[in-house]
């Protein structure tokens, strides 16, 4: 938490500059396309990474589908997760975020900038609508990130239960699934140290739609969880913390 506060304070003038700029870009999609908005998001994430003394080592980028939309399912560890992924994923993607968390300052503008979807966990009808909208956009070529665990409190390098319902999107969109593994991603913004910290992430082999077309969502979930868990267990910390 100390590092998070330090980054916010040290970036206060950048925040004052980027927050209205994000809002402006979000209000004018006819002028600022996904690539332009994503480029701004990456610049902001890089400022945070450098000021937070964070290093992210990524692997498997060459495995990402070259064409068409797809959905990434990742384990969830903390506030840095999406930032590390944005810095490691060259092409634009967006995400689905809990509606309540998304209304926090900066997170709100960041969601608008990347045209993310906000999921109301208390409104089943809205959830169905979001699933349908995301599936439609992926089928049209967009890329999405989901954290099926939902929350991340004290997950660290272990997994909590994944929501089977989140895998309906892949079946509706008839798109590939890309499992993503985050390791030590909780460390940057948890704890009381400001020393350099190393996080890791890995993009695993895509799972083609044909492989999941006839599966139950619970079966897809179990398969993805097993792949992520196996990779997590093979990874080791690269620095002391």
């Amino acid at each position: 938490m100390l590092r998070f506060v330090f980054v916010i304070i040290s970036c206060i003038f950048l925040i004052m500059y980027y927050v209205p700029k994000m809002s402006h870009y979000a209000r004018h999609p006819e002028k600022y396309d996904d690539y332009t908005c994503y480029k701004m998001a990456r610049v902001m994430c890089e400022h945070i990474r450098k000021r937070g003394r964070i290093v992210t080592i990524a692997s498997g980028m060459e495995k990402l589908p070259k064409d068409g939309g797809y959905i990434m399912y990742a384990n969830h560890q903390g506030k840095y997760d999406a930032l590390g992924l944005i810095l490691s994923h060259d092409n634009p993607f967006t995400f689905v975020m809990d509606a309540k968390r998304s209304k926090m300052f900066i997170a709100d503008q960041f969601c608008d900038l990347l045209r993310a979807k906000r999921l109301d966990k208390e409104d089943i009808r809205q959830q169905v609508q979001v699933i349908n909208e995301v599936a439609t956009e992926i089928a049209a070529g967009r890329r999405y990130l989901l954290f099926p665990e939902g929350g991340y409190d004290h997950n660290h390098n272990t997994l909590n239960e994944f929501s089977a319902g989140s895998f309906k999107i892949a079946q509706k969109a008839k798109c590939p699934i890309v499992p993503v593994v985050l390791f030590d991603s909780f460390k940057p913004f948890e704890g009381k140290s400001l020393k350099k910290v190393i996080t890791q992430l890995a993009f695993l082999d895509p799972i083609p739609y044909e492989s999941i077309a006839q599966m139950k969502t619970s079966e897809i979930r179990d398969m993805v969880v097993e792949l992520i868990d196996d990779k997590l267990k093979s990874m080791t910390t690269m620095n002391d913390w």
Side-chain angles (χ1 to χ4, degrees):
M1 192 65 181
L2 176 62
R3 193 188 312 265
F4 181 75
V5 174
F6 172 78
V7 169
I8 294 298
I9 293 174
S10 65
C11 288
I12 189 66
F13 293 111
L14 288 170
I15 291 170
M16 291 170 63
Y17 170 75
Y18 278 113
V19 165
K21 192 170 183 179
M22 284 191 287
S23 297
H24 176 71
Y25 275 39
R27 289 195 302 271
H28 299 283
E30 74 284 356
K31 293 173 61 177
Y32 306 105
D33 62 12
D34 286 350
Y35 281 88
T36 303
C37 293
Y38 191 70
K39 183 178 179 180
M40 180 193 288
R42 296 190 86 184
V43 169
M44 294 168 57
C45 291
E46 182 63 10
H47 280 301
I48 293 170
R49 188 197 67 75
K50 285 184 176 180
R51 291 175 185 247
R53 305 187 68 213
I54 306 164
V55 175
T56 296
I57 298 175
S59 63
M61 286 78 79
E62 74 283 354
K63 299 177 181 178
L64 294 169
K66 299 297 187 290
D67 301 304
Y70 52 85
I71 186 165
M72 296 178 282
Y73 290 99
N75 58 311
H76 208 1
Q77 296 194 348
K79 294 181 177 69
Y80 181 73
D81 294 353
L83 279 66
L85 276 160
I86 288 170
L87 288 169
S88 306
H89 192 286
D90 289 338
N91 288 316
F93 74 83
T94 189
F95 51 88
V96 178
M97 186 174 184
D98 174 59
K100 288 184 178 178
R101 288 181 181 269
S102 75
K103 291 301 181 182
M104 297 173 63
F105 181 61
I106 302 177
D108 190 17
Q109 291 79 17
F110 200 77
C111 285
D112 288 343
L113 175 69
L114 294 182
R115 295 160 192 137
K117 298 294 183 185
R118 304 168 196 259
L119 190 72
D120 186 343
K121 294 183 178 180
E122 298 176 358
D123 187 337
I124 298 298
R125 182 175 296 180
Q126 191 266 356
Q127 292 174 27
V128 172
Q129 180 180 347
V130 168
I131 288 174
N132 289 334
E133 289 176 356
V134 171
T136 299
E137 291 183 14
I138 294 174
R142 292 197 86 191
R143 307 166 192 88
Y144 264 88
L145 166 69
L146 260 76
F147 295 111
E149 286 171 294
Y152 52 73
D153 291 342
H154 308 297
N155 284 10
H156 292 189
N157 289 321
T158 59
L159 301 181
N160 285 334
E161 185 176 357
F162 279 36
S163 167
S166 65
F167 293 90
K168 291 179 182 178
I169 296 174
Q171 288 188 316
K172 282 181 173 290
K174 299 182 179 180
C175 70
I177 286 174
V178 179
V180 182
V181 183
L182 297 168
F183 184 85
D184 282 350
S185 191
F186 64 93
K187 291 183 176 180
F189 296 140
E190 186 174 321
K192 301 178 181 179
S193 173
L194 290 176
K195 69 179 182 180
K196 185 179 79 172
V197 63
I198 299 175
T199 75
Q200 300 174 62
L201 70 87
F203 298 101
L204 305 186
D205 292 326
I207 303 169
Y209 167 70
E210 292 74 19
S211 298
I212 64 168
Q214 303 303 320
M215 295 174 67
K216 297 179 180 178
T217 53
S218 59
E219 295 172 333
I220 303 172
R221 174 200 61 196
D222 293 346
M223 176 175 60
V224 171
V225 167
E226 183 177 0
L227 291 168
I228 292 176
D229 193 42
D230 286 348
K231 182 64 176 179
L232 263 179
K233 290 175 179 176
S234 74
M235 300 171 85
T236 55
T237 297
M238 291 190 173
N239 66 327
D240 294 328
W241 179 70

